[in-house]
Amino acid sequence: MRVIDRRLARSTMIGRTLTHYTIVGELGRGGMGIVYRALDAKLGREVAVKVLHPEYVADPERRRRFIQEARAAAVLEHPHIAVVYDVGEEDGVTFIAMQLVRGERLRDLLARGRLPASRAVELALEVAEGLANAHDKGIVHRDLSPGNIMVTDEGHARIIDFGLAKLTEPISDEHAEAETKRRTETGLLMGTAGYMAPEQARGKPADHRSDIFTLGIVLYEMLSAVSPFKRPSGPETLNAIINDAERPLTLPDAGETSSELRRIVRKCLAKDPRDRYQTMKDLVVDLRDVRRRLESGPIVPLVASSSPASRGRRWVGLALAALVLATLAGSVLYLRTGFSATPAVGERQRIAILVFRNLGAPEDEYFAAGVTEEITTRLSGISQLAVISRGSVLPYTNTDKTLQDVGRELGVDYILHGSVRWQAAKDGPGLVRVTPQLIRVADDTQVWADTYERRFEEIFAVQSDIATRVTEQLGAAVLAPERRMLEMRPTDNLEAYKEYIRGSFLYFHNYGIPSRLEALKHYERAVELDPGFAAGHAAVATAVAWRFFYQEPTQEWEDRGNAAIEKALALNPNLAEAYVARANLLWTQPRGFPHAQALREFRRAIALNPNSAEARVAIARVYEHVGLLDEAREELTMAMELDPANTEAGPRLALAYLWQHDYERALAELKAWGAPASWNTVTALEHLGREDEASTLVARLVQASPQPPESLDAAIGSRYYVVFLARRGNRSGVDAILPRLEAFAQNPQGLSHVHHLHYDIARAHALLGRKGDALTWLRKAAAEGFPCYPLFAKDPNLAGMAGDAGFEAFMAGMKAQWERLRAEARR
């Protein structure tokens, strides 16, 4: 095989300027050239510059045609096409300047395995929409592949490299087959041979239907993680494309849309272009229909009892189902943006499931809690219900209050409570008796009650039936996917199930570090006993992500978390807890805090389980750090409606107001939650001009935490004190503490909650006029997870930085990122 020297030495390009593009770093290498990150000196923006290998532009006619084609592609403007800004030549280097798309190539995403059917269809649809736009303008891509489809940080598909493919075509059609044969034999087609249409593989001209064939290959690969025609060598692959049928396509998670998806793929992959979709717009129509059917299911009323009252409720449910279906046009979940068709919390019937009393042996308390948790999980998946979170019901486990009082305090319409007795047998698991009761809070009336006495192995059926009966009694319409959740059997291994609920009992009932580490052991034992236990793998991932963030950010823990997440989603791609764990593992210092990716995962989780207060608080935490403070407040408000006793949501709401510089409201929220006076209180008091109160509180707080700090935790707690001293011009006091804080802030452990320390060190330097030091620490804070533009922009402690060129450039970049994230959040 002929070897072509394609070496473009990095040292000869980094720092070099091509017209007005200064090369600053390498982004990647491909078959046609090297892509660099560059700065556009004219417009002050970052761009991607692709420098082409010399052999592709050695022929003057081919170079002329390439430049003409690239300039034609520059007219394309579409959300799913990367914009071509410029094409040019300088000192023998031919290049194309394009939009810098932040994200990862679809090729790299597929290297980790197949995509869920809904996600694959969503990405294919976005690519098809972009191609349809190009085809309308007479432009064909001709070289589509997972290598030139980017998946942006926001989760959308964007096509790159328009205008490049024609460069690889022979100069004249009459020599096409000879040229194709020569390239195949020399290995020049190896990079994209698996994504050619048959007519291209034969050396014939390509048109818009060639793009349709190629997109069919890409869709097939997203759905299956394998190529339909890939063979050991380039020539064999091309032969398979020309002559062989595609491999059978297996669709484990497409449900009733499987046959339609297979039909779409087959039509795209027809050997004869006349048998394919004749326009990309026709393919778009079919993909949109499949997406709608994947994302929504028919609303199925649960079978009610034969009583007149229940029949009435059933017809109400049917009418409501029809209304919902008509209103939403069949669309239930839009995972792309995190939008959910779920009614607002205030519009849904609210229910609290109190922890069922354990009537068995004391050591079986975990089992009663586990039964309660399973019923709660099933009901939480019903979009017509607002289910109060476990954190808010735990304080009422052994309360003397009446159910009516509990219901009023929690603000719910109904309470489900009951008892559990597990009678273990010497020769087996034994019997379980569960006695649930549903109470209407308004009049303290028992709406429904029953007694289940079953063999232990029937516990899942009992939990499912209780959740189903509650849904019937409340007259809630149930979507088809929700019904499957009601009926799910998480594992067939009862020993694995017992380990899982032991872990959950420790994890959610005892928040100390030892309990959480012990919980992880139980979760890991559960998945050892049943490797197919999806919820068990998600629980492992949750515990590991917590440890990775707060305690031990090592590669070992990250790998363990990712492995657990991938196993959970491979088993159940609709498991909200797995997406929360993935977001928590992503949004960490070792991973560089990829905000957009983490937010996308959180939005998926909320779309799948809108009753998850934990997911809403978690996404609000990220929203606050990136400056989406209105969005954070909205999520926290919903979280508090679902979980009135949530210990994080209230203080975080106060923090959102504080970072929006609404100090009166922040102080009111802090007081409303009865939180102990803290440095946040000091900040609010200072900015409200209540200096005496602030100083008195500072004296108390400093006494409780002597200076200088002796540990990282103490340093994080004392960061406010340095700002307090700097605001008063106490330079010697600042300098006595600041070196120790800066030493801790270097964070050699890689912990993920140190960025606030960076920010306060920056503020102290800024107040003392040390602009260079302030900017260094501000950059570090933003780069390591805290780019809160609204806070930085109006922080009076940073007022002295205004006008500094470096600071202004830094803030401009911060604002641009903030605006991108805000636009995505508001779609």
Side-chain angles (χ1 to χ4, degrees), residues 29 86 202 205 395 733 797:
R29 297 184 175 223
D86 195 8
R202 290 190 174 101
N797 299 295

Side-chain angles (χ1 to χ4, degrees), residues 689-707:
R690 295 159 63 174
E691 296 286 348
D692 291 343
E693 293 177 72
S695 297
T696 300
L697 180 54
V698 166
R700 285 169 42 200
L701 293 171
V702 170
Q703 186 177 9
S705 179
Q707 305 300 325

